[in-house]
Amino acid sequence: MCKWRLIQGASAYAHLPSSSSSSSCRSRSYCFLLLLLMSLSLAAPVHERGQEMLLLKATNSSSSSSSSSSPASAGRHVRSYNHLRGDVRWRKLYSFNKFFLRIEKNGNVSGTKKDNCPYSILEITSVEIGVVAVKSINSNYYLAMNKSGKVYGSKEFNNDCKLKERIEENGYNTYASFFWKNNGRQMFVALNGRGATRKGQKTRRKNTTAHFLPMVVEPQMKGLFY
């Protein structure tokens, strides 16, 4: 059996058997030394990588704890929409059926083909996130829908006047009652093929009669309709 030991400061080869029968032992010794050198060379990088992982973990932990304590980062996808509240737009709502929605001076809501109708100039104001109030500039009536699904003009702003505004897949907007539903279904402002309003119970989101395209009112046109 081949026996040897490594003495500090001395060559390992001086202590290996010199007989020819020890060639196999010498080969095993070379393999052992090679493995020893490889383990020593890998020890430092592994240790450094371990330290780096610990440092990274500590950094992530501290950053996550600080972000969770911050109100602005309470959720990963939290966004502030406060700037939308009070947003005011002057628009004309052009229906898919090619009518301009108008609120006349008597509070009647209907559609008109005239693009210069003064009662079709509407002021759309954001009152909550995704909720708007629509008011005719010249008649001073709000677009409203009551519990029975009737669309009408209201002189005073109330719960009937709160409408949920949503952009649909075809690029048109829909306006549903925020406060009222029919058997759990939303009721939408809609104009039929004659320009008359439809009952909310008979409307659905996918009905094109409830789709409106908001058209920007040019500044020079605003003064013409007063």
Side-chain angles (χ1 to χ4, degrees), residues 35-49:
L35 291 173
L36 180 62
L37 292 174
M38 290 177 63
S39 63
L40 290 176
S41 63
L42 291 175
V46 170
H47 178 67
E48 293 174 359
R49 284 196 297 269

Side-chain angles (χ1 to χ4, degrees), residues 106-122:
N106 59 358
N108 182 55
V109 180
S110 62
T112 177
K113 294 283 188 178
K114 298 180 180 179
D115 60 357
N116 61 347
C117 176
Y119 303 111
S120 65
I121 305 299
L122 307 173

Side-chain angles (χ1 to χ4, degrees), residues 26 41 66-69 77 114 128 213 220:
R26 185 179 297 111
S41 63
S66 61
S67 61
S68 61
S69 62
H77 299 287
K114 298 180 180 179
E128 296 180 31
L213 186 65
Q220 60 269 24

